[in-house]
Short mmCIF file of all heavy atoms in Angstrom, two decimals:
data_model
loop_
_atom_site.label_atom_id
_atom_site.label_comp_id
_atom_site.label_asym_id
_atom_site.label_seq_id
_atom_site.Cartn_x
_atom_site.Cartn_y
_atom_site.Cartn_z
N GLY A 55 123.69 109.86 86.40
CA GLY A 55 122.28 109.46 86.33
C GLY A 55 121.37 110.24 87.28
O GLY A 55 120.25 110.60 86.96
N GLY A 56 121.89 110.47 88.52
CA GLY A 56 121.11 111.29 89.44
C GLY A 56 120.99 112.70 89.02
O GLY A 56 119.92 113.34 89.30
N LEU A 57 121.99 113.19 88.33
CA LEU A 57 121.87 114.61 87.87
C LEU A 57 120.79 114.71 86.73
O LEU A 57 120.02 115.71 86.75
CB LEU A 57 123.24 115.01 87.31
CG LEU A 57 123.29 116.43 86.77
CD1 LEU A 57 123.05 117.42 87.88
CD2 LEU A 57 124.63 116.71 86.11
N VAL A 58 120.63 113.70 85.93
CA VAL A 58 119.56 113.73 84.92
C VAL A 58 118.24 113.76 85.54
O VAL A 58 117.32 114.58 85.24
CB VAL A 58 119.67 112.53 83.96
CG1 VAL A 58 118.51 112.39 83.07
CG2 VAL A 58 121.00 112.61 83.17
N LEU A 59 117.98 112.95 86.59
CA LEU A 59 116.73 112.94 87.32
C LEU A 59 116.50 114.32 87.95
O LEU A 59 115.36 114.85 87.93
CB LEU A 59 116.73 111.84 88.33
CG LEU A 59 115.47 111.78 89.24
CD1 LEU A 59 114.28 111.45 88.49
CD2 LEU A 59 115.70 110.79 90.37
N ASP A 60 117.46 114.91 88.54
CA ASP A 60 117.36 116.20 89.19
C ASP A 60 116.98 117.29 88.14
O ASP A 60 116.10 118.08 88.37
CB ASP A 60 118.70 116.57 89.86
CG ASP A 60 118.63 117.86 90.62
OD1 ASP A 60 117.67 118.05 91.40
OD2 ASP A 60 119.56 118.73 90.41
N ARG A 61 117.60 117.28 87.04
CA ARG A 61 117.31 118.28 86.01
C ARG A 61 115.95 118.08 85.40
O ARG A 61 115.25 119.06 85.18
CB ARG A 61 118.37 118.24 84.93
CG ARG A 61 119.77 118.53 85.37
CD ARG A 61 119.88 120.06 85.57
NE ARG A 61 121.12 120.41 86.23
CZ ARG A 61 122.30 120.68 85.69
NH1 ARG A 61 122.40 120.58 84.37
NH2 ARG A 61 123.32 120.97 86.41
N VAL A 62 115.56 116.84 85.20
CA VAL A 62 114.21 116.60 84.64
C VAL A 62 113.16 117.09 85.61
O VAL A 62 112.14 117.75 85.26
CB VAL A 62 113.97 115.10 84.29
CG1 VAL A 62 112.48 114.78 84.03
CG2 VAL A 62 114.83 114.65 83.14
N ALA A 63 113.31 116.78 86.90
CA ALA A 63 112.38 117.28 87.97
C ALA A 63 112.35 118.79 88.00
O ALA A 63 111.25 119.38 88.09
CB ALA A 63 112.73 116.67 89.32
N ALA A 64 113.53 119.40 87.88
CA ALA A 64 113.61 120.92 87.93
C ALA A 64 112.84 121.49 86.72
O ALA A 64 112.14 122.50 86.90
CB ALA A 64 115.01 121.29 88.03
N VAL A 65 113.06 121.00 85.56
CA VAL A 65 112.43 121.47 84.38
C VAL A 65 110.88 121.36 84.47
O VAL A 65 110.15 122.26 84.16
CB VAL A 65 112.94 120.82 83.12
CG1 VAL A 65 112.12 121.14 81.89
CG2 VAL A 65 114.39 121.25 82.86
N LEU A 66 110.42 120.21 84.89
CA LEU A 66 108.98 119.95 85.04
C LEU A 66 108.39 120.88 86.03
O LEU A 66 107.30 121.45 85.89
CB LEU A 66 108.67 118.52 85.37
CG LEU A 66 108.94 117.53 84.23
CD1 LEU A 66 108.83 116.09 84.74
CD2 LEU A 66 108.05 117.76 83.04
N ALA A 67 109.09 121.15 87.16
CA ALA A 67 108.62 122.12 88.17
C ALA A 67 108.58 123.46 87.68
O ALA A 67 107.68 124.29 87.91
CB ALA A 67 109.54 121.98 89.44
N ALA A 68 109.65 123.85 86.83
CA ALA A 68 109.62 125.20 86.23
C ALA A 68 108.47 125.39 85.25
O ALA A 68 108.02 126.53 85.04
CB ALA A 68 110.92 125.39 85.51
N LEU A 69 107.96 124.31 84.69
CA LEU A 69 106.78 124.35 83.76
C LEU A 69 105.49 124.45 84.56
O LEU A 69 104.39 124.43 83.94
CB LEU A 69 106.81 123.21 82.86
CG LEU A 69 107.91 123.18 81.80
CD1 LEU A 69 107.97 121.86 81.03
CD2 LEU A 69 107.75 124.35 80.81
N GLY A 70 105.57 124.42 85.84
CA GLY A 70 104.38 124.49 86.68
C GLY A 70 103.76 123.12 87.07
O GLY A 70 102.70 123.11 87.59
N ARG A 71 104.43 122.06 86.82
CA ARG A 71 103.95 120.77 87.22
C ARG A 71 104.31 120.45 88.62
O ARG A 71 105.31 120.88 89.16
CB ARG A 71 104.61 119.70 86.28
CG ARG A 71 104.46 119.90 84.81
CD ARG A 71 103.04 119.67 84.39
NE ARG A 71 103.04 119.42 82.94
CZ ARG A 71 102.36 120.10 82.11
NH1 ARG A 71 101.70 121.12 82.50
NH2 ARG A 71 102.35 119.78 80.82
N GLU A 72 103.47 119.60 89.31
CA GLU A 72 103.82 119.06 90.61
C GLU A 72 104.55 117.81 90.36
O GLU A 72 104.04 116.90 89.64
CB GLU A 72 102.51 118.82 91.37
CG GLU A 72 101.77 120.09 91.70
CD GLU A 72 102.47 120.92 92.71
OE1 GLU A 72 103.23 120.43 93.54
OE2 GLU A 72 102.18 122.13 92.72
N VAL A 73 105.74 117.63 90.93
CA VAL A 73 106.59 116.46 90.68
C VAL A 73 106.81 115.67 92.00
O VAL A 73 107.12 116.23 93.02
CB VAL A 73 107.89 116.93 90.13
CG1 VAL A 73 108.85 115.73 89.85
CG2 VAL A 73 107.75 117.78 88.88
N LEU A 74 106.62 114.34 91.88
CA LEU A 74 106.91 113.45 93.01
C LEU A 74 107.97 112.47 92.58
O LEU A 74 107.75 111.72 91.62
CB LEU A 74 105.61 112.75 93.46
CG LEU A 74 105.81 111.67 94.54
CD1 LEU A 74 106.23 112.35 95.84
CD2 LEU A 74 104.55 110.89 94.74
N VAL A 75 109.09 112.49 93.27
CA VAL A 75 110.24 111.61 92.94
C VAL A 75 110.17 110.49 93.99
O VAL A 75 110.15 110.70 95.16
CB VAL A 75 111.60 112.36 93.00
CG1 VAL A 75 112.71 111.37 92.74
CG2 VAL A 75 111.57 113.51 91.99
N VAL A 76 110.13 109.21 93.53
CA VAL A 76 110.12 108.06 94.37
C VAL A 76 111.40 107.29 94.18
O VAL A 76 111.72 106.87 93.09
CB VAL A 76 108.89 107.19 94.04
CG1 VAL A 76 108.87 105.90 94.91
CG2 VAL A 76 107.59 107.90 94.20
N ASP A 77 112.11 107.08 95.33
CA ASP A 77 113.37 106.39 95.25
C ASP A 77 113.02 104.92 95.69
O ASP A 77 112.79 104.64 96.79
CB ASP A 77 114.38 106.98 96.29
CG ASP A 77 115.76 106.31 96.23
OD1 ASP A 77 115.92 105.36 95.41
OD2 ASP A 77 116.68 106.69 96.99
N ALA A 78 113.02 104.06 94.68
CA ALA A 78 112.70 102.64 94.95
C ALA A 78 113.91 101.76 94.73
O ALA A 78 113.75 100.50 94.54
CB ALA A 78 111.59 102.26 93.95
N ALA A 79 115.06 102.29 94.84
CA ALA A 79 116.27 101.48 94.71
C ALA A 79 116.51 100.60 95.88
O ALA A 79 115.97 100.82 97.02
CB ALA A 79 117.53 102.38 94.49
#
Side-chain angles (χ1 to χ4, degrees):
L57 182 63
V58 171
L59 177 64
D60 184 48
R61 296 285 168 89
V62 168
V65 167
L66 291 170
L69 291 172
R71 306 288 203 238
E72 295 290 333
V73 180
L74 176 65
V75 178
V76 178
D77 185 0

